[in-house]
Amino acid sequence: MTSKTSSAVTFLPSRLQSMLRTQEGVLLVLLVVIVVALSLLSDRFLTVNNLLNQTRLLTETALLALPMTLIIISGGIDLSVGSMLAWSAVMLGFSWQLLGLPLPLAVLVCLLTGVVGGAINGLLIAYVRVPPLIATLATLAIYRGFSFGISQARSARGFPEEFAFWGQGQIGPFPTQFVILAALIVAAHLLLSRTGFGRWVYAIGNNELAARYSGIPVERVKFTLYTLSGLMAGLAAFIFTSRVTTTRADAATGLELDVIAAVVLGGTSIFGGSGSIIGTVLGLVIITLLRNGLLLTGVKGDATFMVIGIVLILAVLVNNLVRRR
Amino acid sequence: MAVPIIELREISKAFPGVQALDRVSFEVREGEVHALLGENGAGKSTLIKILTGAHQPDSGTILLRGQPITIPDTRQGLKLGIAAIYQELSLYPDLTVAENIFMGHQPSNRFGMVDWRQMQQRARALLHELDADDLDVTRPVRGLSVGNQQRVEIAKALSHDARILIMDEPTAALTQHDVERLFEIVRRLRARGVAIIYITHRLEEVFLLADRVTVLRDGRVVGTTLEVSQTNQAELVKMMVGRTLDTLFPKDPAIPGEVVLEVRNLSYGRTTRNVSFTLRRGEIVGLAGLVGAGRSELAQVLFGITPAQSGTILVEGKEVRIRNPREAMALGIAYVPEDRKLQGLLLPMSVRENTTLAVLRQLLRYGFVDHHAESRLTQEYVDRLQIRTPSLMQQVANLSGGNQQKVVLAKWLAAKPRVLILDEPTRGIDVGAKAEIHRLMNALAHQGMAILMISSELPEVMGMSDRILVMRQGSIVAELDRQSASQEAVIAAAMGASELHLV
């Protein structure tokens, strides 16, 4: 069997080649290149402090990217995550400051708001059969409307000091939210790759009809996914509020784009059926480090966006090139 | 003897892990129907793809009218007059007949705009040559019968002035009437000097239609090209499978047990009307009828995909409700659907993931999938059904049609059903795999499974069934037992006696 190896990358050692065959491999190589390049450009980049600090900024996007990975693998999409985050955050501030609920209860309201928002998406998509793109584009607008309506464009502030623990505090050497995120990454990874539910998600993304014909409760799986996405938006809203100590109706505007970019950079097929949590995490890390590193080396914010866009396309290109043969 | 219009010399082509074609030589003459036979995976598809330019050979030469050529892509292939009509038709359902025929090379006027009038005229002329004047060129393709869609495909090939026409299992999805019209068209094209490469699994068609026949097995030409008049079915089957098949339909008479499934006055919309029947342990009941008679629709009602709107279903004497596939599965009903790629398989996923999909819940340990148990179960069915796959982790998309069908069967056998509904279980698969599936059905019935088999292939219905139910327009119109059934009786019932004289 001597198939032609006329690929453009024959000069690479075979270990590296087989690694580049997966999107995760491409990203890992990319990550190393970025870290090396940025640490040469700025001596403040590769420091424990800076890197740990970055996880604070990454957490909210990451919390949303976890369920988004599952949703995109299932062949759907959730555009409303940014709006759900804002709505949940506003509900936190509203119920604490205006309704006078105790703070833990207000946090519960915040999480529940996310769940309700997600469940509405889930109902629309799984049972009313509105295409996910349209359903969540609509709720993106609606939930943002709720945020402005409820907050009346006022922001809640003046949270007690202990509340800052979740967004600014530390557990040992690690930022609080990093610990929470790490636990949830492991949980999401296990859910997707090891459980029956995870298998169903892939099955639905690959062939929804065949999944249905195999007795998979397609509607229930979809409903669960979007509700989960809402719950994570609620959790992200809580941590976000604790970090910035204020709740504003225009919080997290456009965040859904960052989330989707990270998931897609992580190798999840936008058409559904394939992808992994590990890929998404690598995608997130790359985007965050690029942003931070370029900032430290003095590149302006707008240029950073462009670099991230180019990296997104490059990563997919390299992967396509290697996979072709 | 005339120079062949196209000739392949010593063509080889390898894909990772398989030698798809191994020094294959093959030629077709003008005005000839050349049948190409072989089991799935024998290399027929690769050969077609090389001829149309979709694949490039690793070595060997292609000669067009004696001149060596290369066919870099399918567009160039069409320019050289080589067109293919695939089993799965590739029309745009929402475009009109004329637009489909001229897709990619619409006649245009001097302003560079599509010349609709000319397009429709030429489309009509092309269809006229196919004796299909009844087809309205301005209506969308959606809703046309499979036979008519195929005529559109053929007209499309002719619009490129194809001199070499490759037909890949053109009769697989056709009704008997359409098959005869297709044969007529093929003979017409042959008379006009078109060279036709005709791929089929139905041996009788070779003798009805072809002048010469070439058999492929494991990527090689078996023996040499034969004149059809010099050979017979038994010889061809032997060449294809490399062994003699004792019988194609090994059905033993059943010893039917108690009633497992009873259905009374089941209705759903217009497609299932007042259907009543019973199914006993250990018997195979054939469900015959024309395409569109409502057989698959009945199966989908029984499996809960389109739950019954009225009527009663009894499983082992107890009245039950089936509102979705899960409830059907819980009652021990399994459905192997008609279209394995669309309804049966997760093509990009592995043999293992496909096999265990319906029973995944039983393979969980503390909520996690037990991969060892999963592999054990899959291996059991791979062995039992003789699924030919390099590994359990192989993507199902890379398996041949027969092995894909076995994976779907494995998925449902793993669920250990009491009632197995098989919808066209051997459509589009090769003789060898077909015989294996028939043997398996026989064995399952022996073990006490009740099997309801939908099939459009009359010999299969006659050969495998203990009883035959015939459907027409959503109702069961006849029930025949093994002894009294004849092909004529089934056809008469399926068509309605009054319509019979029209054919």
Side-chain angles (χ1 to χ4, degrees):
Chain A
M1 231 73 26
T2 52
S3 69
K4 278 193 296 181
T5 43
S6 65
S7 124
V9 286
T10 37
F11 56 88
L12 293 174
S14 66
R15 170 80 69 78
L16 188 61
Q17 252 197 70
S18 68
M19 196 168 139
L20 282 175
R21 213 148 294 189
T22 63
Q23 183 81 5
E24 287 93 338
V26 174
L27 293 177
L28 214 55
V29 172
L30 193 68
L31 185 60
V32 172
V33 171
I34 289 171
V35 168
V36 170
L38 290 174
S39 58
L40 290 177
L41 288 169
S42 162
D43 50 2
R44 279 175 302 164
F45 174 72
L46 202 60
T47 59
V48 175
N49 247 344
N50 179 48
L51 293 184
L52 281 180
N53 204 29
Q54 286 313 306
T55 64
R56 287 197 197 279
L57 304 174
L58 163 138
T59 299
E60 290 123 32
T61 318
L63 286 176
L64 299 175
L66 297 178
M68 186 72 85
T69 307
L70 274 70
I71 286 175
I72 294 182
I73 290 173
S74 81
I77 197 149
D78 186 350
L79 297 177
S80 71
V81 288
S83 297
M84 282 197 292
L85 192 159
W87 182 27
S88 303
V90 163
M91 287 302 287
L92 199 168
F94 175 77
S95 54
W96 174 68
Q97 204 158 50
L98 282 161
L99 298 185
L101 291 186
L103 202 47
L105 223 53
V107 169
L108 195 65
V109 168
C110 166
L111 296 179
L112 279 178
T113 306
V115 170
V116 168
I120 293 172
N121 285 338
L123 279 177
L124 286 173
I125 291 160
Y127 297 99
V128 190
R129 292 174 198 256
V130 182
L133 189 79
I134 296 170
T136 59
L137 188 63
T139 54
L140 173 149
I142 294 169
Y143 298 160
R144 184 66 68 181
F146 287 168
S147 318
F148 280 105
I150 292 165
S151 70
Q152 294 295 317
R154 282 191 305 267
S155 58
R157 51 182 77 241
F159 292 99
E161 204 138 289
E162 66 269 18
F163 184 64
F165 169 72
W166 301 97
Q168 300 169 49
Q170 291 200 321
I171 298 178
F174 303 111
T176 312
Q177 62 263 60
F178 176 69
V179 176
I180 297 173
L181 176 62
L184 286 172
I185 286 173
V186 172
H189 173 71
L190 289 177
L191 177 70
L192 180 60
S193 66
R194 300 295 313 277
T195 67
F197 183 83
R199 185 72 61 79
W200 286 351
V201 170
Y202 283 107
I204 293 169
N206 273 309
N207 186 344
E208 188 173 327
L209 196 62
R212 203 179 293 277
Y213 275 56
S214 302
I216 294 174
V218 175
E219 284 78 21
R220 221 159 62 205
V221 172
K222 285 189 181 177
F223 179 77
T224 309
L225 286 179
Y226 289 93
T227 308
L228 218 55
S229 180
L231 175 63
M232 286 296 127
L235 183 61
F238 162 47
I239 289 171
F240 172 79
T241 308
S242 166
R243 177 167 70 85
V244 303
T245 64
T246 170
T247 66
R248 292 173 45 155
D250 62 353
T253 303
L255 189 64
E256 60 278 354
L257 295 183
D258 281 12
V259 173
I260 294 166
V263 173
V264 175
L265 180 62
T268 296
S269 163
I270 197 74
F271 303 111
S274 69
S276 71
I277 292 290
I278 296 171
T280 296
V281 170
L282 285 170
L284 280 162
V285 170
I286 286 175
I287 289 183
T288 310
L289 290 188
L290 260 184
R291 205 166 263 175
N292 166 248
L294 291 172
L295 214 68
L296 287 179
T297 53
V299 178
K300 291 247 169 58
D302 316 348
T304 312
F305 280 121
M306 283 166 49
V307 171
I308 289 168
I310 291 165
V311 165
L312 184 63
I313 289 171
L314 275 183
V316 176
L317 275 185
V318 170
N319 185 247
N320 280 354
L321 195 77
V322 179
R323 223 184 278 189
R324 200 158 295 161
R325 266 282 159 174
Chain B
M1 186 151 295
V3 180
I5 183 162
I6 193 150
E7 184 181 354
L8 302 182
R9 278 192 197 153
E10 304 267 308
I11 294 282
S12 293
K13 174 77 181 175
F15 295 107
V18 266
Q19 185 72 37
L21 292 176
D22 186 8
R23 285 162 290 147
V24 167
S25 296
F26 171 73
E27 48 147 75
V28 195
R29 301 175 193 140
E30 289 188 322
E32 170 186 50
V33 175
H34 194 134
L36 194 56
L37 287 179
E39 297 192 84
N40 287 331
K44 292 168 301 179
S45 314
T46 311
L47 191 66
I48 299 174
K49 284 179 180 156
I50 284 175
L51 274 171
T52 54
H55 281 333
Q56 300 307 312
D58 295 339
S59 62
T61 345
I62 305 173
L63 302 160
L64 186 70
R65 296 193 177 85
Q67 300 297 314
I69 50 154
T70 55
I71 311 169
D73 52 46
T74 48
R75 225 182 144 76
Q76 198 59 37
L78 275 176
K79 271 203 184 138
L80 294 166
I82 305 167
I85 292 160
Y86 294 102
Q87 199 180 339
E88 280 131 24
L89 304 175
S90 54
L91 299 172
Y92 299 88
D94 293 313
L95 298 184
T96 66
V97 170
E99 283 172 303
N100 267 290
I101 291 175
F102 287 100
M103 177 53 62
H105 62 133
Q106 302 89 339
S108 51
N109 59 24
R110 60 203 146 104
F111 303 114
M113 316 272 278
V114 175
D115 185 343
W116 295 98
R117 184 184 302 226
Q118 196 198 343
M119 182 157 111
Q120 287 171 11
Q121 275 169 1
R122 284 175 52 192
R124 272 190 209 101
L126 285 167
L127 288 169
H128 174 73
E129 288 177 44
L130 301 179
D131 201 17
D133 295 295
D134 49 328
L135 245 165
D136 178 0
V137 300
T138 61
R139 67 169 279 183
V141 162
R142 190 186 294 282
L144 290 183
S145 71
V146 180
N148 272 330
Q149 291 192 24
Q150 196 176 53
R151 287 189 265 281
V152 174
E153 283 269 15
I154 297 171
K156 185 170 151 187
L158 295 181
S159 76
H160 288 279
D161 205 18
R163 300 301 298 162
I164 300 155
L165 187 60
I166 303 162
M167 304 179 102
D168 189 2
E169 282 195 61
T171 56
L174 294 189
T175 61
Q176 193 55 42
H177 179 61
D178 279 331
V179 167
E180 271 152 32
R181 280 187 75 175
L182 176 76
F183 286 0
E184 200 40 55
I185 289 171
V186 170
R187 292 190 184 108
R188 242 168 215 259
L189 293 174
R190 170 169 62 188
R192 283 177 36 190
V194 177
I196 292 158
I197 301 172
Y198 190 94
I199 294 163
T200 183
H201 282 311
R202 298 185 182 168
L203 287 175
E204 61 274 17
E205 291 179 0
V206 174
F207 294 91
L208 280 171
L209 212 54
D211 304 296
R212 291 193 297 166
V213 52
T214 299
V215 179
L216 284 178
R217 189 173 75 222
D218 301 330
R220 293 181 190 181
V221 174
V222 183
T224 53
T225 298
L226 300 169
E227 298 286 335
V228 167
S229 53
Q230 308 285 312
T231 184
N232 57 48
Q233 289 213 15
E235 184 183 18
L236 292 181
V237 169
K238 197 173 159 193
M239 286 168 80
M240 280 165 68
V241 296
R243 60 185 191 276
T244 39
L245 291 175
D246 25 11
T247 50
L248 214 50
F249 304 111
K251 179 74 182 90
D252 304 332
I255 316 115
E258 66 275 24
V259 173
V260 196
L261 179 73
E262 184 175 356
V263 162
R264 293 182 195 147
N265 300 323
L266 208 63
S267 291
Y268 178 85
R270 290 156 168 249
T271 51
T272 306
R273 298 176 179 184
N274 267 321
V275 169
S276 304
F277 68 92
T278 58
L279 202 58
R280 294 171 178 278
R281 276 171 62 88
E283 69 173 351
I284 299 179
V285 172
L287 191 53
L290 301 179
V291 172
R295 295 168 302 164
S296 299
E297 289 80 355
L298 172 61
Q300 292 179 0
V301 170
L302 289 173
F303 196 58
I305 291 160
T306 49
Q309 289 162 336
S310 64
T312 324
I313 302 174
L314 294 99
V315 172
E316 292 186 338
K318 272 206 308 230
E319 191 175 334
V320 295
R321 292 193 63 181
I322 300 175
R323 284 164 299 192
N324 55 48
R326 260 167 299 143
E327 291 184 343
M329 282 164 65
L331 293 165
I333 299 174
Y335 174 51
V336 174
E338 182 180 12
D339 188 330
R340 59 179 166 268
K341 287 187 179 162
L342 214 63
Q343 302 158 329
L345 294 168
L346 310 167
L347 287 172
M349 294 174 78
S350 68
V351 171
R352 191 174 78 174
E353 288 166 319
N354 272 280
T355 304
T356 58
L357 193 62
V359 293
L360 206 56
R361 279 196 187 93
Q362 297 158 27
L363 298 169
L364 298 181
R365 266 176 62 190
Y366 313 112
F368 293 118
V369 178
D370 180 346
H371 290 311
H372 292 291
E374 211 189 350
S375 291
R376 259 200 314 277
L377 183 79
T378 310
Q379 190 64 51
E380 183 190 327
Y381 283 96
V382 164
D383 293 342
R384 198 169 140 203
L385 305 189
Q386 296 168 35
I387 300 172
R388 278 174 279 278
T389 173
S391 85
L392 302 185
M393 302 315 283
Q394 176 74 5
Q395 273 188 19
V396 171
N398 294 337
L399 300 184
S400 70
N403 284 309
Q404 287 182 346
Q405 184 69 5
K406 288 183 191 170
V407 171
V408 185
L409 268 168
K411 172 171 75 179
W412 286 113
L413 293 183
K416 305 215 179 332
R418 288 181 284 199
V419 176
L420 180 64
I421 307 171
L422 299 170
D423 199 344
E424 304 287 359
T426 62
R427 173 179 285 176
I429 69 177
D430 59 71
V431 192
K434 198 167 176 171
E436 284 174 22
I437 287 179
H438 286 154
R439 252 195 300 280
L440 177 73
M441 286 168 62
N442 204 17
L444 291 171
H446 260 279
Q447 291 158 21
M449 202 178 282
I451 298 177
L452 181 66
M453 178 190 68
I454 298 171
S455 173
S456 295
E457 222 181 295
L458 267 183
E460 183 173 64
V461 175
M462 309 300 298
M464 290 305 298
S465 313
D466 296 302
R467 275 189 300 143
I468 298 168
L469 303 173
V470 185
M471 276 191 90
R472 186 165 68 90
Q473 293 173 0
S475 304
I476 292 183
V477 290
E479 177 172 345
L480 308 159
D481 61 27
R482 191 175 176 76
Q483 284 76 34
S484 67
S486 66
Q487 295 212 12
E488 291 72 24
V490 174
I491 293 172
M495 305 200 55
S498 60
E499 291 165 42
L500 195 59
H501 64 273
L502 293 176
V503 184

